[in-house]
Amino acid sequence: MRPRGIFWPGVAGIASGALMLVALVVTYGNSPDYEGRNGLRETVEFYRDAGNRDLTEAMALVMLAAGLLFLFFLAALARVTASRSSLVLVGGILFVALTMIATIAGAIYAITASHTEAFVVTPGTGTVALLLLDVSYAGTVAAMVGAAVLLFAVWRASRTTGAVPQWLAWFGFVIAVLCLAGPFSAWLTVLLMALWTVLAGVVLVLRPPTEA
């Protein structure tokens, strides 16, 4: 039996994944190299540019919107994978919550510098930015643990009930395995998770509803 009401959640999944991809690609292409020898200097120069701060803030809003859309998509995905719905929900909610925390941590310095006159971008405050960027990446690593729970649950449901196409389940399985590399792979797996979300949304959109 195929559950009703999955078309719009599928659209939400496509939109969520697409917004995540846009935000992540833009952020990766427009961020300071804070881990290098001149990390502090480059970070300060980056945040002194009002355009960089505005773009960081805009991409944070895009990511937060993607997270809200993902929750709408997640409810339908849990219905489709009924045998593993609890794990899908737990993993998905953990993924969204930690992704939002990571997003806020990564953008709060730029937002504060742009909207608070008493806060000035200097080498002294730049160390705060370095800390927040590390916290942001740590949040992404933790978020991918939640994503791995969701993806393993979807894979298992597909093996036992055929809840989703096998190609989508195995793609998710590969992403989940890559998540085990933790801090070494989170930058990549979050991109793959966004792509998986788009594909899963397409699957829901194309899936016919249960006949009355």
Side-chain angles (χ1 to χ4, degrees), residues 32 40 42-49 52-54 56-57 60 102-116 119-133:
L40 179 58
E42 292 192 18
T43 299
V44 171
E45 290 178 355
F46 176 85
Y47 285 112
R48 279 178 174 167
D49 187 324
N52 288 335
R53 296 197 305 268
D54 290 343
T56 298
E57 183 176 354
T103 298
I104 293 170
I108 194 64
Y109 184 92
I111 294 171
T112 303
S114 292
H115 300 284
T116 306
F119 189 88
V120 181
V121 179
T122 65
T125 62
T127 57
V128 176
L130 297 180
L131 175 62
L132 288 171
L133 289 170

Side-chain angles (χ1 to χ4, degrees), residues 72-205:
F72 186 33
F73 156 78
L74 180 65
L77 184 65
R79 291 201 304 274
V80 170
T81 57
S83 64
R84 296 289 187 274
S85 60
S86 295
L87 286 174
V88 169
L89 285 173
V90 169
I93 291 172
L94 186 63
F95 169 70
V96 171
L98 291 172
T99 297
M100 287 186 170
I101 291 172
T103 298
I104 293 170
I108 194 64
Y109 184 92
I111 294 171
T112 303
S114 292
H115 300 284
T116 306
E117 293 184 3
F119 189 88
V120 181
V121 179
T122 65
T125 62
T127 57
V128 176
L130 297 180
L131 175 62
L132 288 171
L133 289 170
D134 277 337
V135 170
S136 177
Y137 192 67
T140 300
V141 173
M144 295 316 298
V145 174
V149 172
L150 180 155
L151 295 171
F152 277 131
V154 171
W155 172 77
R156 185 59 183 165
S158 75
R159 301 294 293 168
T160 57
T161 65
V164 300
Q166 291 296 308
W167 62 266
L168 181 65
W170 279 107
F171 181 35
F173 181 85
V174 171
I175 299 171
V177 171
L178 290 175
C179 288
L180 299 179
F184 302 104
S185 63
W187 65 272
L188 173 62
T189 52
V190 69
L191 284 169
L192 294 177
M193 181 63 185
L195 177 59
W196 186 91
T197 302
V198 171
L199 296 175
V202 171
V203 167
L204 292 187
V205 166

Side-chain angles (χ1 to χ4, degrees), residues 9-78:
V11 172
I14 296 171
S16 174
L19 288 175
M20 278 193 279
L21 282 171
V22 169
L24 290 167
V25 169
V26 171
T27 299
Y28 288 171
N30 188 70
S31 59
D33 180 15
Y34 68 97
E35 294 183 340
R37 176 176 298 180
N38 298 316
L40 179 58
R41 179 177 59 80
E42 292 192 18
T43 299
V44 171
E45 290 178 355
F46 176 85
Y47 285 112
R48 279 178 174 167
D49 187 324
N52 288 335
R53 296 197 305 268
D54 290 343
L55 187 59
T56 298
E57 183 176 354
M59 290 305 101
L61 293 174
V62 170
M63 279 295 289
L64 293 176
L68 293 176
L69 288 168
F70 188 90
L71 291 175
F72 186 33
F73 156 78
L74 180 65
L77 184 65

